[in-house]
Amino acid sequence: MGALPYRTRLVLLIALDSVLVLSAILIGFLLIETNFDIFEKQGFIFSSLTLVISYHFFAFIYHLYNKSWDYASIRELAAIIRTATWSIVFTGVVYYLFTNLFHLSTVIVTWMLLVLFVGGSRFGWRMFRSHFLANKSDMKNTLIIGAGAAGRMIARQLQNNAESELRPVAFIDDDPNKKRLEVLGVPIVGNSQSIVEAVEKYGIENIVIAIPSLTKKELKSIYAECANTNIKTQIFPRIE
């Protein structure tokens, strides 16, 4: 999606979301409203058109079509939830004003399906791009020292950059509370005393030290540990 011209991408996303919105409201009606024929239900057609129009309106309000889904995160998910919520609320209010009817269960189910369908399409693309399009056999296994903000930023960039030659496979961090946790799907395998062991276990070919706050003494100590592996080591500098 990211490589397409903006207008082409916009048209494709609008078309895709229109199908997803209609699918969500149709399935919502079928699950909740028993024994009804959609071709005889003017209310269904009216609410479907209202939901599609309101969805696209709020999608533009929350810049849903301007986001790069290759780097989708919680912020993008929040935009999807806001768009789905306000479009459902608007449709429910309009439907009530014209019919004096309000089906809360149908509204809730349709909202859940809408978030699931739209969110699934966006994050599914990100997963496909990250795990299949960027899965090159000649990539170098990379050990990132530091699972803080800098380390996470480097790991995310390496995972999302199809042209990168580095693949993050493990973190090293001295915080005992992070032991055995995962960051962006990459495990934290030990502390700075485990660098040599991690290099051998995970077939590491590149090391990145991503702790800009280290003192010179601390950096020298970690760098000395990395030197024992004879693996190329890079140091992430302070942003300032």
Side-chain angles (χ1 to χ4, degrees):
M1 286 187 186
L4 295 175
Y6 175 74
R7 290 187 177 181
T8 303
R9 181 176 179 273
L10 178 62
V11 171
L12 290 176
L13 285 176
I14 289 177
L16 172 64
D17 284 359
S18 297
V19 173
L20 296 177
V21 171
L22 291 173
S23 299
I25 192 170
L26 174 59
I27 295 175
F29 265 84
L30 291 174
L31 290 175
I32 303 300
E33 306 292 339
T34 58
N35 300 321
F36 97 103
D37 184 347
I38 61 173
F39 297 105
E40 297 177 0
K41 287 283 187 177
Q42 294 182 352
F44 169 78
I45 298 175
F46 174 76
S47 56
S48 297
L49 293 175
T50 305
L51 181 57
V52 169
I53 294 172
S54 61
Y55 173 87
H56 291 308
F57 173 78
F58 287 109
F60 279 102
I61 292 294
Y62 291 111
H63 307 286
L64 207 58
Y65 297 135
N66 298 92
K67 298 185 181 299
S68 175
W69 297 101
D70 296 337
Y71 305 95
S73 62
I74 296 298
R75 183 174 298 177
E76 283 70 31
L77 178 60
I80 292 174
I81 293 175
R82 292 191 188 101
T83 300
T85 300
W86 284 111
S87 59
I88 289 289
V89 169
F90 179 82
T91 301
V93 170
V94 172
Y95 185 80
Y96 176 77
L97 292 176
F98 279 87
T99 66
N100 203 31
L101 297 173
F102 186 80
H103 303 281
L104 180 60
S105 55
T106 303
V107 169
I108 294 175
V109 171
T110 301
W111 176 84
M112 293 174 61
L113 290 171
L114 186 54
V115 173
L116 177 64
F117 290 169
V118 177
S121 69
R122 301 306 200 271
F123 286 89
W125 166 254
R126 176 185 171 178
M127 292 177 62
F128 176 78
R129 177 182 172 84
S130 299
H131 295 284
F132 293 98
L133 297 184
N135 188 16
K136 298 182 292 185
S137 59
D138 59 344
M139 298 180 73
K140 297 179 180 179
N141 289 345
T142 300
L143 177 68
I144 300 177
I145 301 178
R152 292 195 301 271
M153 182 176 67
I154 291 174
R156 183 181 293 109
Q157 179 66 22
L158 294 180
Q159 290 174 338
N160 292 329
N161 187 355
E163 299 180 358
S164 172
E165 298 180 352
L166 306 180
R167 178 195 296 113
V169 296
F171 277 105
I172 288 291
D173 199 283
D174 285 334
D175 186 347
N177 295 322
K178 294 181 180 179
K179 188 177 181 180
R180 297 181 180 178
L181 298 181
E182 289 188 358
V183 176
L184 300 174
V186 180
I188 300 175
V189 298
N191 55 28
S192 56
Q193 303 302 315
S194 308
I195 293 176
V196 176
E197 179 184 351
V199 166
E200 296 175 353
K201 182 176 180 180
Y202 294 94
I204 300 300
E205 301 173 83
N206 199 79
I207 299 175
V208 177
I209 301 176
I211 316 177
S213 60
L214 286 175
T215 63
K216 290 184 178 180
K217 182 178 180 180
E218 292 170 332
L219 178 59
K220 183 177 180 180
S221 175
I222 291 179
Y223 196 84
E225 192 72 22
C226 295
N228 293 329
T229 66
N230 294 320
I231 299 296
K232 179 182 178 181
T233 301
Q234 298 166 287
I235 302 175
F236 185 76
R238 293 176 180 269
I239 293 178
E240 61 268 22

